[in-house]
Amino acid sequence: MKIERVELRMLRANLKFHFETSFGVEADLQKLLLVVHSEGLEGYGEVTANRVPGYSYETSKVAWTALEDYVLPRVIGKEFATPAQLVAALEPIRGHDMAVAALEMAFWDLLAKAAHLPLWQLLGGVRTDVPVGASIGIQPSVEATVEAARRHAAEGYKRLKFKIRPGWDVTPLSAVREALPEMALTVDANSAYRITDARVFHQLDELGLDYVEQPLAHDDLVDHAELQAMLSTPICLDESVHSAADARKGLAIGAGRVINVKLGRVRGHLGARRVHDVAAAFGAPVWCGGMLELGVGRAHNLHMSSLENFTLPGDTASASRYWGDEDIVDQVLDAVDGVQQVPAEGPGLGVTLRKDLIERQTLDRLVVG
Ligand code: OSB
Ligand code: MG
């Protein structure tokens, strides 16, 4: 299909809570929506980047620049038969994976719509019920952490993940474990520790966590392998995996035993499927990470989660938890008893845009082509 025209919109996105992590606070977000036009069809993608360049150097504004100056000029007016061809045309661009991913995701939506197939089927998925967990930011106190844990558990989430940082780790997690002895619990450090902090992880190792997510540096695998060898709790890699090659190297040296897959971090569905396949070959489960997505990104996450080896609950929690009734799609992507449905209204991504709301939230708009 020919990429005839691409529309970018920077949207104001009022997250219902301040999301505090080891790298900073995400609030008053800006989210970049991308619409690809081809043969009278529209494909939707969303850039997963946020405001703070702490998880990654990619922010919404950086992604806008990358798309406008480098990504879109390589594809506008060109014909691509497969997502692999599209990704190959963008290969010379180093980094900017989230910018590339938004276009790739939108292209899959287009292809699925042209084929009259739901996206999950085109991707080769095997399920439409998706068990989900919730990611809980750093709270002002241990009491507030336990309260948030109880509330999310009562809502039916299948796993609770807590953000940690040096000085905010063993104490809150021990309290949550005491309050919820049977609950699946995990922690996410977003790269805040060093190998010399191994003592903290030995203590966390006693709490029966499902995994410890990205404890060490964002670009490290070697120290993760050293840490993993000391622990019985699996390490889950997030920031360190941008490709199937990274996944292979990480799993081969024992840097972790689980992988968090985020579409934005791996250039889209094709990259996600390759990471998923490599992990399956190593017998390592994967799960769908979250980046505080609006409805388009959340829908893509749910379609991706239909692949076979997504056997652990993902971070694709209820849209209303983040956006109240101000999500950008007509469909309410909320979990029931901790299970989300893959959106299925029509072919492709299975969601429709709330054009009036999007117009009101638009901060900047660009049409290319
Ligand atoms: O590391 O998984 C992460 C949000 C922004 C950046 C990085 C991460 C996260 C989350 C939130 O954990 C997941 C979500 O609820 O969307
Ligand atoms: Mg993470």
Side-chain angles (χ1 to χ4, degrees):
M1 300 183 82
K2 188 166 163 183
I3 311 263
E4 294 164 10
R5 191 157 36 90
V6 173
E7 181 183 355
L8 299 182
R9 276 178 192 260
M10 190 68 88
L11 304 177
R12 190 184 309 115
N14 299 317
L15 192 61
K16 300 228 80 134
F17 47 88
H18 284 200
F19 189 64
E20 185 164 357
T21 69
S22 64
F23 61 75
V25 178
E26 293 283 15
D28 306 320
L29 297 182
Q30 295 180 1
K31 284 285 187 181
L32 211 170
L33 176 69
L34 184 153
V35 181
V36 181
H37 297 264
S38 179
E39 298 170 16
L41 297 171
E42 292 183 350
Y44 306 136
E46 182 180 316
V47 175
T48 61
N50 291 307
R51 192 179 269 281
V52 178
Y55 172 80
S56 161
Y57 66 88
E58 289 193 89
T59 62
S60 304
K61 282 188 185 167
V62 167
W64 178 287
T65 300
L67 281 161
E68 181 178 7
D69 292 355
Y70 315 123
V71 177
L72 299 182
R74 287 187 167 269
V75 300
I76 293 290
K78 302 221 171 93
E79 183 91 33
F80 300 97
T82 62
Q85 279 183 10
L86 179 77
V87 170
L90 300 168
E91 175 91 43
I93 297 172
R94 177 173 294 176
H96 299 288
D97 300 322
M98 300 183 196
V100 170
L103 177 69
E104 198 259 16
M105 285 148 72
F107 189 69
W108 274 99
D109 182 22
L110 267 183
L111 285 182
K113 281 169 176 161
H116 303 287
L117 280 174
L119 177 56
W120 68 271
Q121 279 186 15
L122 200 62
L123 292 170
V126 297
R127 72 178 75 80
T128 54
D129 284 359
V130 178
V132 293
S135 175
I136 297 170
I138 292 170
Q139 302 294 312
S141 67
V142 172
E143 295 68 39
T145 310
V146 171
E147 198 275 322
R150 286 193 200 279
R151 183 157 39 86
H152 285 87
E155 284 171 24
Y157 286 110
K158 305 285 187 204
R159 171 280 272 148
L160 304 180
K161 153 173 148 183
F162 296 86
K163 294 292 186 177
I164 58 169
R165 68 170 166 228
W168 185 260
D169 39 45
V170 177
T171 304
L173 262 294
S174 301
V176 171
R177 173 50 85 211
E178 197 169 316
L180 300 170
E182 303 298 326
M183 189 75 197
L185 303 177
T186 72
V187 293
D188 187 356
N190 287 111
S191 311
Y193 296 83
R194 297 293 166 258
I195 188 70
T196 46
D197 297 315
R199 217 174 71 89
V200 171
F201 297 96
H202 281 298
Q203 290 175 283
L204 290 173
D205 217 13
E206 303 297 311
L207 298 178
L209 305 179
D210 280 20
Y211 49 79
V212 173
E213 187 174 340
Q214 195 74 31
L216 308 180
H218 73 97
D219 55 355
D220 169 73
L221 290 173
V222 172
D223 284 356
H224 278 95
E226 189 176 327
L227 182 62
Q228 179 67 91
M230 298 181 215
L231 304 177
S232 48
T233 308
I235 287 176
C236 170
L237 297 173
D238 176 351
E239 282 90 328
S240 292
V241 176
H242 289 268
S243 64
D246 290 345
R248 172 178 59 77
K249 292 169 194 171
L251 294 170
I253 68 167
R257 299 183 190 140
V258 177
I259 294 179
N260 162 335
V261 183
K262 289 179 179 167
L263 284 165
R265 213 190 55 227
V266 300
R267 293 202 162 205
H269 285 292
L270 205 57
R273 205 164 65 185
R274 287 177 179 155
V275 169
H276 160 280
D277 291 351
V278 166
F282 277 90
V286 302
W287 55 277
C288 175
M291 291 287 287
L292 312 168
E293 282 89 349
L294 289 167
V296 166
R298 196 167 304 275
H300 274 288
N301 282 345
L302 292 170
H303 282 273
M304 176 182 79
S305 301
S306 71
L307 297 184
E308 191 159 16
N309 193 34
F310 279 84
T311 52
L312 296 176
D315 271 347
T316 308
S318 291
S320 60
R321 172 179 182 253
Y322 306 82
W323 315 113
D325 60 3
E326 296 226 298
D327 197 0
I328 59 167
V329 297
D330 291 305
Q331 296 69 21
V332 178
L333 303 181
D334 277 5
V336 177
D337 294 329
V339 178
Q340 287 264 27
Q341 298 302 313
V342 176
E345 209 151 297
L349 193 55
V351 293
T352 46
L353 299 184
R354 289 172 70 182
K355 298 246 155 91
D356 289 351
L357 180 132
I358 287 172
E359 200 59 59
R360 283 200 303 278
Q361 307 284 39
T362 297
L363 297 165
D364 205 354
R365 176 169 178 268
L366 175 73
V367 179
V368 184

